[in-house]
C-alpha cells in the first residue's frame, strides 16, 4: 500500500490543482482559444523522441533546493536503502518483475502502457491524442526537474555499487552509470502522471495513485534506483504538477484529455491488453494470502 509520507506528496499536488491563475482552460472574457496541438511534428524535439514540456526551462523546479542530500555511506538511511534493494531483487523473476521492466520504457508509444490498464483506456496518439500528448510533455517537465539535484549529487546507482544481478535491461546499464541516481526521474514523472490522471478520471483515483506508487517501486525492483531516490522523485513530481496548474496550455490539454477518456470508456472500444497486469496482481494476492 502507499505509505502515508509518500501519499502526502500526492495530496499536496492534488490540493494545488485548480488553485492558480491557470485553473481555467480558457479566458471567458475573450474568444475561445484553439486546444494545444496533438501533432508531435508541431513541436521541436529536445532530442529524438523527447518533446518539450509545457514549462519553460527557466521556470523548472529547483530540485537541489527542494530536496535534502541523499543518504551518506554508512548511515542508517543507506542501510535501509540497501535492505530495500535486496528485498526488491526477489521480485525480479516474477510477473511483478515483468511489470517493472515494462515500466522502465519511457519512449513513446510504449510508455503509456504503464497506465492504460488502470485507466481502462488504450492510450495512443490516434485514439486519445490529447491524453497522449499530455503524458509526453509532462514526462519532460517532471523528468527534467530532477536534474539539478541529479547532477549535483551524482549518486551511484544500486547496480553499480552492488555489482550484482544487474538491472532489467543490460543494454541500459552503461549509459546510466554516468547518470545520477538521486532523485529518480522515472519516479518523478510516474507520480506526476498519477496525479494528473487522477484529476482526469477521479472515479479511479485509488487505483491510479496505487499504480503511480508501484511505478516508482519498479525502479527499485529493476535495480536502477535506491528507495530514497524514488521517494525524492515523487516529491519533485508533485511539485511540478502543482506548477503545471498555472500553465494555460497544460490546463487546456487536460480538459481535452478528460473528454477523450470519458468517450473512450463509454464506447468500450480499443481496450488495452492487461494480461501482464492481471498476472502480477494475481501473484501478489497469492503471496499476501499465504
Amino acid at each position: 500500500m502507499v505509505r502515508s509520507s509518500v501519499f502526502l506528496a500526492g495530496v499536496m499536488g492534488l490540493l494545488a490543482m485548480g488553485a492558480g491563475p491557470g485553473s481555467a482552460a480558457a479566458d471567458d472574457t475573450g474568444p475561445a482559444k484553439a486546444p494545444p496541438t496533438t501533432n508531435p511534428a508541431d513541436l521541436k524535439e529536445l532530442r529524438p523522441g523527447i518533446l518539450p514540456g509545457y514549462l519553460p526551462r527557466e521556470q523548472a523546479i529547483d530540485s537541489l533546493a527542494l530536496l535534502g542530500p541523499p543518504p551518506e555511506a554508512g548511515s542508517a538511511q543507506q542501510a535501509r536503502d540497501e535492505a530495500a534493494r535486496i528485498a526488491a531483487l526477489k521480485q525480479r523473476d516474477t510477473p511483478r518483475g515483468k511489470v517493472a521492466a515494462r515500466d522502465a520504457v519511457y519512449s513513446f508509444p510504449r510508455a503509456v502502457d504503464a497506465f492504460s490498464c488502470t485507466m481502462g483506456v488504450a492510450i495512443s496518439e490516434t485514439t486519445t491524442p490529447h491524453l497522449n500528448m499530455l503524458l509526453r510533455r509532462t514526462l519532460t517537465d517532471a523528468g527534467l526537474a530532477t536534474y539539478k539535484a541529479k547532477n549535483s549529487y551524482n549518486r551511484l546507482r544500486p547496480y553499480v555499487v552492488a555489482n550484482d544481478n544487474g538491472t532489467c535491461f543490460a543494454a541500459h546499464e552503461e549509459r546510466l552509470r554516468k547518470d545520477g541516481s538521486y532523485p529518480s526521474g522515472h519516479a518523478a514523472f510516474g507520480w506526476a502522471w498519477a496525479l494528473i490522471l487522477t484529476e482526469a478520471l477521479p472515479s479511479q483515483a485509488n487505483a491510479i495513485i496505487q499504480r503511480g506508487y508501484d511505478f516508482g517501486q519498479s525502479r527499485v525492483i529493476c535495480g536502477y534506483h535506491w528507495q530514497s531516490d524514488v521517494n525524492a522523485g515523487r516529491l519533485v513530481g508533485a511539485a511540478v504538477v502543482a506548477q503545471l496548474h498555472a500553465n494555460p496550455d497544460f490546463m487546456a490539454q487536460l480538459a481535452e484529455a478528460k473528454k477523450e477518456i470519458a468517450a473512450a470508456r463509454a464506447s468500450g472500444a480499443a481496450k488495452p491488453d492487461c494480461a501482464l497486469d492481471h498476472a502480477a496482481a494475481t501473484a501478489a494476492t497469492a503471496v499476501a494470502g499465504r
Side-chain angles (χ1 to χ4, degrees):
M1 296 299 293
V2 178
R3 296 181 181 178
S4 58
S5 61
V6 174
F7 193 77
L8 178 60
V11 172
M12 290 170 61
L14 288 171
L15 287 175
M17 292 177 176
S23 58
D27 183 354
D28 293 337
T29 64
K33 183 181 178 182
T37 184
T38 60
N39 182 4
D42 291 339
L43 301 171
K44 186 178 179 180
E45 292 184 338
L46 301 182
R47 58 187 176 87
I50 304 297
L51 298 181
Y54 295 98
L55 302 172
R57 292 294 296 274
E58 63 272 14
Q59 294 180 14
I61 290 293
D62 185 345
S63 55
L64 185 60
L66 178 66
L67 305 172
E72 296 181 358
S75 67
Q77 294 94 329
Q78 180 59 40
R80 288 193 289 270
D81 269 354
E82 176 62 10
R85 183 190 74 83
I86 293 172
L89 280 176
K90 299 175 183 178
Q91 300 183 69
R92 185 79 61 81
D93 295 325
T94 69
R96 178 65 182 90
K98 292 180 180 179
V99 170
R102 181 198 64 191
D103 289 346
V105 178
Y106 67 90
S107 59
F108 284 73
R110 285 194 57 200
V112 295
D113 292 345
F115 281 84
S116 286
C117 286
T118 308
M119 300 288 290
V121 174
I123 305 169
S124 76
E125 188 176 338
T126 54
T127 60
T128 55
H130 282 286
L131 178 58
N132 190 72
M133 182 61 78
L134 189 75
L135 297 180
R136 288 193 73 168
R137 296 188 68 180
T138 54
L139 180 154
T140 301
D141 286 319
L144 288 182
T146 64
Y147 268 89
K148 195 165 183 179
K150 269 182 178 287
N151 292 338
S152 179
Y153 293 117
N154 199 27
R155 189 185 193 188
L156 293 178
R157 292 179 181 256
Y159 70 91
V160 178
V161 173
N163 197 29
D164 65 348
N165 293 297
T167 66
C168 288
F169 292 102
H172 296 173
E173 293 173 14
E174 187 56 35
R175 173 177 56 84
L176 292 177
R177 282 177 183 272
K178 302 173 183 178
D179 186 67
S181 191
Y182 177 90
S184 166
H186 266 75
F189 75 71
W191 195 243
W193 280 0
L195 295 178
I196 292 164
L197 293 174
T198 293
E199 185 174 4
L201 186 61
S203 65
Q204 289 293 102
N206 290 335
I208 294 169
I209 289 294
Q210 187 65 55
R211 176 83 272 268
Y213 178 83
D214 291 343
F215 187 90
Q217 292 308 112
S218 290
R219 303 304 287 170
V220 184
I221 293 171
C222 276
Y224 292 120
H225 285 288
W226 304 100
Q227 184 64 57
S228 56
D229 301 339
V230 170
N231 295 345
R234 291 179 181 127
L235 182 57
V236 174
V240 169
V241 171
Q243 189 182 27
L244 281 165
H245 278 75
N247 181 278
D249 284 342
F250 167 81
M251 294 303 297
Q253 199 118 57
L254 175 60
E256 295 299 322
K258 288 179 182 180
K259 298 175 189 177
E260 290 178 346
I261 293 167
R265 286 173 61 87
S267 71
K271 288 287 187 180
D273 180 0
C274 299
L276 180 57
D277 298 75
H278 291 160
T282 300
T285 300
V287 170
R290 287 178 183 172

